Amino acid sequence: MVHVLVTGGVGFIGSHTVLALLEEGHSVVIVDDLSNSFPRVFEHMKKLAGDKKDKMKFEQADVGDKEALDRIFAAEKPEAVIHFAGSKAVGESIELPLKYYRNNMVASIVLLEVMQKHNCKLLVFSSSATVYGIPERVPLTEDCPLSAINPYGRTKLFQEDMFRWGWDVAVADKDVRILLLRYFNPVGAHPSGEIGEHPVGIPNNLMPYVMQARHSPSGCSTRGRSTGGFGLRASAAASWAAVALGQREFLRVFGSDYDTPDGTAIRDYISVMDLAAGHVAALNKIINTPGFGCQAVNLGTGKGTTVLEMVASFEKASGAKVPYKLVDRRPGDAGAVWAGTDLAEEMLGWKATRNLDDMCASLWKWATQYPQGYETPEPAAAK
Ligand code: WQD
């Protein structure tokens, strides 16, 4: 088993992956600047880690802070890195491209330099299906054409190329092993409901938005109340006010005229628990494969689901109603995206096992246990 440095390890996918790494017997040091997460996540993770909680530690630092990262590598001597840290909102990347270029690309260059200095040669990188741009065909396989359709996607594409080619050692030193994991649409939460996705501000993605638009079974909206929706940081108070003012009284379904069974767009929604297992399989693969080199692999289910099917699955799991309106397509959206999964199965011995019911049930448990996410007031007894 190895000591793994996980950047962004208290984020949505990072936190679930760290727990899976501990289960596998690895030890972990998390490096996270908390710019898009909360210290409280680590407390929830420790609760779930049980007797393995001493096998993980947390260092608050920006991956782009070379001195801090160098210090952590010198002290921890990690044998591998899983790199999640970065900005990930498509909409925000269009408004703030330079923030994305710095957070995603400059930080990755610093990470590579520090890894090289400390002779750390195993890397798993959090990439995204967004590197396929608007697909020419589905299912998307790893040999499909790549393109960037927004600054976020551009940073993922560039990072893949940087890891693949920019790290000359990867070519010169056969002992450098890199896996680029292209996620499709991560949803759901830990089955315990103790950790999950905590969107800050107005969610871009479908399922966090569904969560905020839900009406309780009694039909009245749970949004806007002290316990409604997901907690939003003070900096996002404006968007919370938007909910209270009912500007998000319903889910907008972007597009109902796609060539799909119900006209709404298709995506490959994958459980965050399956994604975590995929990272463990990827790490084990490079640990055990001298001369591995660098390879991109899809992490998806291989199944396509429409927006309205996802809404129906959530309503079934929660008993809540999700009011929605069919509106125009969102610019830049593709009609149908889902993963080819053969390479992941052949190379990693991994495939997704959880279905929509599992994903929506775990999401609902997380939301009911922590209606304001990590900003849900602690029960008095727990203080
Ligand atoms: C899913 C479907 C929307 C919101 C993006 C990134 C990708 C990855 C996942 C990071 C689409 C529809 C959405 C809403 C809607 N992120 N939708 N109403 O765009 O497939 O992928 O997030 O790695 O890289 O590109 O995900 O959740 O935004 O949208 O109808 O309020 O839901 O049109 O069809 P997307 P999404």
Side-chain angles (χ1 to χ4, degrees):
M1 295 311 163
V2 301
H3 191 40
V4 192
L5 184 141
V6 179
T7 73
V10 287
F12 174 36
I13 300 169
S15 55
H16 291 76
T17 300
V18 165
L19 291 173
L21 290 168
L22 297 179
E23 268 308 301
E24 187 76 4
H26 299 300
S27 57
V28 174
V29 53
I30 293 167
V31 176
D32 197 305
D33 65 0
L34 293 177
S35 60
N36 195 24
S37 191
F38 302 83
R40 184 171 162 185
V41 179
F42 192 62
E43 297 313 310
H44 288 220
M45 290 166 70
K46 279 199 289 191
K47 212 160 47 170
L48 293 172
D51 60 357
K52 297 186 176 67
K53 65 177 181 295
D54 299 331
K55 291 286 187 186
M56 70 175 176
K57 59 174 67 170
F58 174 65
E59 295 282 351
Q60 183 172 351
D62 173 358
V63 175
D65 177 346
K66 193 167 186 175
E67 272 180 46
L69 198 62
D70 186 44
R71 211 172 30 250
I72 295 167
F73 266 79
E76 294 293 327
K77 299 179 177 52
E79 296 144 281
V81 171
I82 301 185
H83 182 31
F84 291 104
S87 300
K88 62 169 189 172
V90 172
E92 185 191 38
S93 80
I94 293 165
E95 287 167 33
L96 303 170
L98 293 183
K99 171 184 174 182
Y100 276 67
Y101 297 157
R102 170 164 294 283
N103 283 0
N104 295 0
M105 299 201 289
V106 170
S108 291
I109 292 170
V110 169
L111 174 65
L112 284 182
E113 288 171 338
V114 175
M115 285 180 74
Q116 279 188 352
K117 176 182 175 186
H118 294 273
N119 208 28
C120 179
K121 301 185 175 185
L122 307 184
L123 172 67
V124 175
F125 171 60
S126 162
S127 188
S128 165
T130 200
V131 300
Y132 292 113
I134 300 287
E136 292 168 9
R137 59 176 165 83
V138 279
L140 282 166
T141 49
E142 287 80 356
D143 58 344
C144 279
L146 305 180
S147 68
I149 53 176
N150 53 62
Y152 164 72
R154 197 163 292 119
T155 66
K156 287 297 181 185
L157 206 48
F158 184 86
Q159 288 175 97
E160 284 201 8
D161 280 348
M162 186 168 63
F163 292 133
R164 185 180 289 115
W165 306 115
W167 191 357
D168 294 343
V169 179
V171 180
D173 175 349
K174 288 306 163 217
D175 226 10
V176 168
R177 310 169 202 174
I178 303 171
L179 256 169
L180 311 167
L181 301 182
R182 294 173 180 164
Y183 312 157
F184 281 69
N185 289 63
V187 297
H190 190 274
S192 67
E194 283 301 316
I195 57 173
E197 185 175 12
H198 181 122
V200 177
I202 300 176
N204 288 296
N205 296 131
L206 176 65
M207 293 315 282
Y209 207 109
V210 163
M211 293 305 303
Q212 289 190 19
R214 75 181 185 276
H215 282 226
S216 65
S218 59
C220 64
S221 164
T222 54
R223 292 179 337 289
R225 290 185 184 162
S226 60
T227 58
F230 269 11
L232 300 168
R233 289 183 185 164
S235 59
S239 58
W240 187 245
V243 177
L245 293 173
Q247 287 163 5
R248 294 207 297 264
E249 284 300 314
F250 50 85
L251 168 73
R252 294 166 302 159
V253 176
F254 297 133
S256 55
D257 58 350
Y258 289 106
D259 181 17
T260 65
D262 58 24
T264 62
I266 288 174
R267 292 292 183 275
D268 186 330
Y269 296 97
I270 177 169
S271 161
V272 65
M273 294 302 287
D274 278 329
L275 274 181
H279 285 75
V280 172
L283 180 65
N284 288 341
K285 177 69 181 179
I286 57 177
I287 289 169
N288 299 311
T289 314
F292 179 80
C294 180
Q295 172 65 46
V297 179
N298 289 339
L299 293 190
T301 67
K303 298 183 189 74
T305 304
T306 70
V307 173
L308 290 184
E309 285 167 344
M310 276 309 270
V311 169
S313 294
F314 177 79
E315 289 182 332
K316 179 182 155 198
S318 63
K321 282 306 285 175
V322 179
Y324 64 84
K325 280 184 182 168
L326 303 175
V327 300
D328 292 341
R329 296 181 178 191
R330 183 173 63 177
D333 269 359
V337 178
W338 67 87
T341 57
D342 292 347
L343 184 59
E345 207 165 336
E346 287 152 20
M347 179 181 284
L348 308 182
W350 168 91
K351 67 183 298 184
T353 60
R354 289 149 180 102
N355 61 28
L356 297 183
D357 289 346
D358 300 323
M359 293 181 223
C360 291
S362 62
L363 193 55
W364 182 239
K365 187 164 186 179
W366 158 243
T368 47
Q369 287 183 178
Y370 296 93
Q372 288 177 275
Y374 293 111
E375 290 178 311
T376 305
E378 299 266 12
K383 286 201 171 75

